[in-house]
Amino acid sequence: MDTPLLLLIGSAVGVALWLALWPVARSRRRLEISRREPPPEWLVWLQRRLPLYRDLPDDIRARLHGLIAVFLREKNFVGCNELTVTDEMRVTIAAYACLLVVGRPEV
C-alpha cells in the first residue's frame, strides 16, 4: 500500500477514536471532580452570598457543590478594568450559574 494512504487511514482512525473516547474521558473527569469535598471556605462564602443556600436540601446542596467544582475547573475568569477576581467571586459566580442547572437530570 501507498505510504500517504496509510497515513491518511491512520489519521482518520485516530480522529475517530478520539471523537469516540473524548466524551467518556470528560464524563469520568467531571465525576471525579464533583465527588470531592468542597473546601470549608466555600461553605462560608455560599452562605454569605447565596440567600437560598441554607434552605437547599442536602442532596441538592451536594450536587451544587459538585457542579461548582466542575465549573471552576473548566472556566476561566478575567476581571475587567484591572479588577482582581478573588476565589470568593469565582465561587459565587459559579454557584449562581450552577443553580440554573442543579435540578437537571444527570447525563
Side-chain angles (χ1 to χ4, degrees):
M1 248 192 177
D2 202 22
T3 302
L5 181 61
L6 286 175
L7 286 173
L8 181 63
I9 292 171
S11 297
V13 168
V15 169
L17 280 173
W18 182 81
L19 288 173
L21 297 178
W22 171 250
V24 174
R26 182 180 59 200
S27 293
R28 292 182 85 169
R29 186 186 73 243
R30 284 179 173 176
L31 185 61
E32 177 192 325
I33 292 168
S34 70
R35 288 186 173 167
R36 295 180 189 154
E37 202 61 36
E41 59 269 15
W42 282 19
L43 307 179
V44 173
W45 298 336
L46 291 171
Q47 288 179 2
R48 185 181 327 150
R49 301 291 181 195
L50 254 64
L52 68 102
Y53 179 78
R54 290 183 202 96
D55 299 329
L56 291 175
D58 290 339
D59 59 331
I60 300 292
R61 196 180 293 181
R63 179 152 159 72
L64 180 63
H65 293 160
L67 289 169
I68 292 169
V70 171
F71 189 95
L72 292 174
R73 179 70 183 253
E74 295 182 355
K75 305 299 178 203
N76 294 317
F77 293 81
V78 179
C80 293
N81 298 327
E82 299 177 23
L83 173 71
T84 301
V85 180
T86 65
D87 286 341
E88 183 174 0
M89 290 176 180
R90 292 175 69 236
V91 169
T92 303
I93 293 166
Y96 275 107
C98 293
L99 275 174
L100 298 172
V101 297
V102 74
R104 286 175 58 184
E106 295 185 43
V107 194

